[in-house]
């Protein structure tokens, strides 16, 4: 159970959690395209609404989602300022010395903020919050399988990814244990000069590397003992199946995209 | 006299997330000075969580940890001093060795205490002697030793700090019976030589029955029993109710009693069982003689 605490995955039984991960990757790509199609107030309003709906049906606490957005607040503020000050337009609002602010600039800034927010919220609702990293690599492997024709070792990359993801929580846990053990012998990681702090890491890093190599070795042996020899002819234990709800979700997002295009045509207010 | 007292201790992992886990709830207990206390409980009962509270590695979600009657978290800045006074050997400590030589690894703790080179050397030799490590091993790399030897080096690394309380999380786990006995015998010798307070965590009732003065039993994060060994093992029925394997011999006595043989309660060594059986046989012979 602990392996799924990695990243942002938030366990729940919402419909988004139950969609096929391959479909979720496709939906996320389409959703990103949709955010870039938006051009005017109406389509951006629909976009914002869709993000709120996504949060609601994912059953993920609003607090958590807002916390995630807080992390990119700086980027958003920066983008907004650039847009406010550097967009040229026809309806000036402030003209003072070298500062020229146009109504168009304000609209542009607002649209950019909505777009970035929705991009983050949308992809995290569809992917990171509702899909375990292992499921995600599985889905990517299958979606990218056609690339094998170009001699790209898709399976091997996916396997490496899966193993890495699988062992990150293990390594984190191990790091914590080793740190505790050295702290119990009076090691101090938080005070002293930069050099002494860097030195204090040695008692953690050495045992960590030793055990990581030991683990890698054991895993390789275990895989060989079970006759692992790469992707060719390998069958899967969990076979992904598209179910009707996946196609309903696809239909919904196509209609949503069409809606955005129609609203763009209405030409109300400022158009990007 | 109680060396360490836990007052109404609770501990929650990842509070406020869907992974919230109440590992300990409302624990009150006393650890007696100059004695060996055994902490037993099934897998996941919260033993490791509890011992990490004793030296301030983690801070309880609620409740207080008293060392010699003083709250160890009174001055959080001085928690390091508490860690030198309460030495903790974690579960599978052999994976924490990192120095080039065994000697340097054992010296890690004393060095952090800021002792002089001479004092450190003295303590390393003393710890090696107490844990039964040969002088010639001290200049080897710790990575070249056997599992049991590594375990001793790790224990020596904590003993070298001369802690007033020595806490060991499953010191005998994963060793063969001989290795287990050596380590546990060594700990008992250590306790008798130094008069330290010792606490041993274990799954094994048998080991605990043989080596500990006091026993504390945890189940599902709650304290089930605490007391002298014979008091706790006298309640073998309750122990098996919370899913603990009572010593084989205790179980045998329990089964005999169920079949109507009046065995004493609280037998946990073969010697005790032997004496009880002999007594029963004698009284029976007397009775049969009476009939003749
Ligand atoms: N870092 C952690 N994060 C979340 N939960 C944890 C963590 N460590 C332990 N737990 C949980 O707390 C409970 C008590 O764990 P603890 O390690 O104290 O048990 P234990 O009695 O030492 O078990 P064992 O005999 O297997 O060593 C377990 O249910 C465990 O899953
Ligand atoms: Mg444990």
């Amino acid at each position: 159970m602990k392996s799924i605490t990695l990243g942002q995955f938030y366990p729940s039984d919402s419909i988004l959690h139950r969609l096929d991960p391959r479909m979720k990757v496709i939906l996320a790509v389409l959703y990103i395209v949709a955010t870039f199609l938006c051009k005017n107030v109406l389509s951006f309003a629909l976009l914002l609404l869709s993000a709120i709906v996504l949060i609601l049906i994912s059953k993920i606490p609003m607090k958590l989602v807002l916390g995630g957005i807080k992390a990119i607040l700086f980027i958003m503020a920066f983008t907004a300022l650039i847009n406010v000050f550097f967009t040229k337009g026809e309806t000036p609002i402030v003209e003072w010395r070298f500062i020229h602010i146009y109504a168009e600039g304000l609209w542009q800034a607002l649209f950019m903020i909505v777009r970035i927010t929705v991009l983050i919220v949308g992809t995290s609702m569809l992917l990171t919050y509702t899909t375990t990293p292992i499921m995600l690599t599985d889905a990517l492997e299958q979606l990218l399988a056609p690339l094998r024709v170009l001699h790209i070792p898709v399976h091997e990359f996916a396997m490496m990814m899966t193993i890495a993801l699988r062992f990150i929580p293990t390594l984190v846990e191990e790091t914590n244990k080793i740190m505790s053990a050295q702290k119990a012998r009076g090691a101090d990681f938080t005070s002293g000069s930069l050099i002494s702090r860097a030195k204090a890491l040695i008692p953690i890093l050495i045992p960590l590397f030793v055990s990581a190599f030991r683990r890698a070795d054991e895993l390789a042996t275990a895989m060989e003992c079970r006759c692992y020899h790469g992707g060719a002819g390998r069958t899967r234990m969990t076979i992904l199946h598209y179910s009707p709800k996946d196609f309903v979700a696809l239909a919904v997002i196509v209609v949503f995209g069409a809606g955005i295009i129609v609203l763009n045509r209405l030409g109300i207010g400022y158009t990007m | 006299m109680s060396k360490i007292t836990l007052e109404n201790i609770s501990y929650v992992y990842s509070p406020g997330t869907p992974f919230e886990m109440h590992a300990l709830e409302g624990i009150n207990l006393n650890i007696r000075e100059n004695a060996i206390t055994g902490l037993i409980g099934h897998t996941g009962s919260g033993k490791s969580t509890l011992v990490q509270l004793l030296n301030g590695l983690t801070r309880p979600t609620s409740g207080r940890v008293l060392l010699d009657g003083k709250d160890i978290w009174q001055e959080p800045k001085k928690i390091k001093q508490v860690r030198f006074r309460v030495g903790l050997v974690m579960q599978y400590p052999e994976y924490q060795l990192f120095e080039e030589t065994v000697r340097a690894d054992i010296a890690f703790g004393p060095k952090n205490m800021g002792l002089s080179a001479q004092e450190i050397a003295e303590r390393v030799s003393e710890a090696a002697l107490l844990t039964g490590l040969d002088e010639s091993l001290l200049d080897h790399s710790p990575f070249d030793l056997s599992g049991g030897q590594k375990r001793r080096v790790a224990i020596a690394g904590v003993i070298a700090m001369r802690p007033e309380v020595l806490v060991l999380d499953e010191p005998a786990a994963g060793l063969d019976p001989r290795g287990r006995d050596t380590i546990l015998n060594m700990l008992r010798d250590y306790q008798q030589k130094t008069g330290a307070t010792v606490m041993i965590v274990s799954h094994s009732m048998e080991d605990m029955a043989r080596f500990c003065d006091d026993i504390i039993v945890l189940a599902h994060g709650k304290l089930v029993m605490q007391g002298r060994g014979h008091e706790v093992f006298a309640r073998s029925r309750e122990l098996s109710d919370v899913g603990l394997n009572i010593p084989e011999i205790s179980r045998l006595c329990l089964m005999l009693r169920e079949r109507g043989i009046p065995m004493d309660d609280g037998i946990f060594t073969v010697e005790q069982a032997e004496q009880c059986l002999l007594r029963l046989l004698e009284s029976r012979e007397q009775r049969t003689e009476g009939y003749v």
Side-chain angles (χ1 to χ4, degrees):
Chain A
M1 276 304 280
K2 271 189 203 146
S3 66
I4 54 174
T5 57
L6 171 68
Q8 297 175 303
F9 180 74
Y10 185 97
S12 161
D13 63 343
S14 80
I15 174 102
L16 286 186
H17 286 78
R18 280 178 285 133
L19 285 181
D20 187 299
R22 291 170 297 176
M23 188 52 88
K24 282 197 268 189
V25 173
I26 298 171
L27 293 178
V29 171
L30 292 178
Y31 196 72
I32 291 170
V33 172
T35 52
F36 283 97
L37 285 178
C38 291
K39 286 206 159 49
N40 65 8
V41 181
L42 290 177
S43 51
F44 271 106
L46 179 64
L47 188 67
L48 198 58
L49 185 71
S50 73
I52 294 170
V53 170
L54 273 179
I55 297 177
L56 291 182
I57 59 174
S58 72
K59 296 194 190 163
I60 288 166
M62 195 60 95
K63 216 171 74 190
L64 205 69
V65 181
L66 293 180
I69 296 176
K70 217 160 67 187
I72 50 152
L73 222 50
F74 174 76
I75 299 177
M76 295 212 298
F78 188 72
T79 320
L81 285 180
I82 293 218
N83 277 293
V84 167
F85 289 111
F86 293 98
T87 309
K88 298 270 176 286
E90 278 130 30
T91 7
I93 293 178
V94 180
E95 282 194 311
W96 180 72
R97 298 205 187 167
F98 58 89
I99 298 179
H100 300 269
I101 296 178
Y102 301 91
E104 288 81 359
L106 292 180
W107 279 116
Q108 190 81 14
L110 181 68
F111 287 171
M112 285 312 283
I113 289 180
V114 173
R115 180 175 282 166
I116 296 175
T117 313
V118 171
L119 263 180
I120 301 288
V121 171
T123 47
S124 51
M125 284 310 115
L126 282 168
L127 297 175
T128 48
Y129 277 117
T130 60
T131 322
T132 60
I134 301 279
M135 288 279 264
L136 210 54
T137 29
D138 231 25
L140 284 174
E141 178 184 352
Q142 294 188 40
L143 287 172
L144 299 179
L147 291 182
R148 262 191 305 233
V149 180
L150 304 175
H151 296 289
I152 296 174
V154 176
H155 168 79
E156 280 68 22
F157 280 136
M159 180 57 88
M160 271 156 56
M161 188 80 173
T162 310
I163 291 175
L165 286 170
R166 160 65 187 77
F167 279 97
I168 287 172
T170 313
L171 282 182
V172 170
E173 197 180 314
E174 194 132 318
T175 313
N176 285 336
K177 262 191 204 148
I178 295 172
M179 272 177 88
S180 297
Q182 310 301 25
K183 270 198 232 161
R185 292 205 275 166
D188 193 343
F189 308 115
T190 50
S191 61
S193 68
L194 207 60
I195 295 178
S196 70
R197 268 195 238 187
K199 265 194 187 154
L201 290 180
I202 295 175
I204 304 173
L205 291 181
I206 292 180
L208 195 62
F209 275 106
V210 170
S211 86
F213 283 121
R214 185 174 43 86
R215 248 181 236 290
D217 204 36
E218 282 169 5
L219 182 67
T221 313
M223 283 170 83
E224 258 164 34
C225 289
R226 293 197 247 165
C227 304
Y228 176 80
H229 54 79
R234 200 168 133 82
T235 55
R236 312 190 145 266
M237 188 168 91
T238 45
I239 296 170
L240 295 172
H241 288 292
Y242 289 117
S243 67
K245 59 180 179 295
D246 294 309
F247 295 103
V248 173
L250 185 62
V252 168
I253 207 143
V254 168
V255 170
F256 166 72
I260 282 181
I261 293 173
V262 170
L263 289 176
N264 279 339
R265 291 282 160 94
L266 291 180
I268 292 171
Y270 170 72
T271 306
M272 264 173 115
Chain B
M1 172 69 195
S2 157
K3 183 77 182 170
I4 295 185
T5 306
L6 301 192
E7 277 182 5
N8 210 4
I9 290 282
S10 297
Y11 192 85
V12 184
Y13 283 108
S14 337
T17 71
F19 307 102
E20 188 172 288
M21 166 83 215
H22 292 259
L24 293 174
E25 284 175 83
I27 304 271
N28 285 297
L29 59 82
N30 292 307
I31 298 168
R32 198 154 56 92
E33 202 166 1
N34 297 332
I36 302 188
T37 303
L39 175 62
I40 37 186
H42 57 82
T43 292
S45 55
K47 305 183 295 293
S48 298
T49 310
L50 194 146
V51 295
Q52 289 180 35
L53 294 168
L54 301 181
N55 73 338
L57 270 182
T58 50
R59 204 171 172 158
T61 312
S62 67
R64 299 197 304 160
V65 182
L66 307 179
L67 176 60
D68 283 336
K70 212 172 142 232
D71 188 348
I72 63 167
W73 286 103
Q74 212 163 41
E75 288 170 280
K77 288 225 175 72
K78 293 198 177 154
I79 198 68
K80 217 161 120 179
Q81 297 312 315
V82 174
R83 293 187 189 145
F84 294 134
R85 292 176 60 197
V86 182
L88 172 64
V89 181
M90 310 249 301
Q91 212 162 354
Y92 297 106
E94 53 272 31
Y95 297 123
Q96 304 135 23
L97 305 176
F98 69 97
E99 284 282 10
E100 276 170 60
T101 64
V102 169
R103 191 188 300 279
D105 211 290
I106 299 177
F108 182 67
K111 221 155 66 190
N112 286 328
M113 296 171 86
L115 302 174
S116 70
Q118 196 199 343
E119 172 87 28
I120 292 176
E122 232 167 70
R123 288 192 177 202
V124 170
S125 310
E126 179 196 83
L129 195 70
L130 282 168
T131 48
L133 284 168
D134 204 70
E135 276 285 331
S136 65
L137 280 179
L138 291 184
D139 295 308
H140 281 258
S141 158
F143 299 104
D144 293 341
L145 304 181
S146 77
Q149 285 171 327
K150 280 188 199 167
R151 180 84 51 98
R152 284 188 210 189
V153 173
I155 296 175
V158 173
I159 284 181
M161 304 192 300
R162 288 199 191 139
E164 301 158 36
V165 185
L166 179 64
V167 183
L168 304 105
D169 196 349
E170 309 246 7
L175 298 180
D176 63 20
R178 165 104 44 94
R180 280 160 54 152
D181 275 6
T182 338
I183 290 232
L184 292 172
N185 274 322
M186 172 203 101
L187 289 173
R188 193 157 58 184
D189 286 350
Y190 171 79
Q191 199 280 325
Q192 276 159 7
K193 264 186 215 151
T194 60
T197 305
V198 174
M199 181 164 189
I200 303 176
V201 175
S202 174
H203 280 114
S204 159
M205 284 279 185
E206 250 119 292
D207 290 349
M208 294 293 96
R210 284 189 298 141
F211 287 97
C212 298
D213 306 311
D214 292 1
I215 298 283
I216 294 168
V217 183
L218 279 187
H220 306 291
K222 297 202 178 73
L223 186 81
V224 184
M225 284 178 218
Q226 66 173 321
R228 298 296 163 96
H230 58 91
E231 292 166 4
V232 168
F233 289 114
R235 297 157 70 184
S236 38
R237 168 55 44 72
E238 287 166 69
L239 287 174
S240 45
D241 284 349
V242 296
L244 280 168
N245 281 329
I246 55 177
E248 294 278 315
I249 191 72
S250 307
R251 200 156 62 217
L252 182 69
C253 294
L254 214 62
M255 281 157 75
L256 285 175
R257 279 210 329 192
E258 272 165 14
R259 292 194 163 74
I261 298 167
M263 297 292 287
D264 289 349
D265 219 341
I267 289 175
F268 52 90
T269 62
V270 178
E271 288 75 33
Q272 284 174 320
E274 183 189 4
Q275 279 177 6
C276 182
L277 279 172
L278 283 174
R279 224 177 32 247
L280 284 175
L281 271 176
E282 245 167 53
S283 63
R284 191 176 197 165
E285 271 161 19
Q286 278 165 9
R287 249 183 297 155
T288 36
E289 272 164 22
Y291 284 121
V292 172

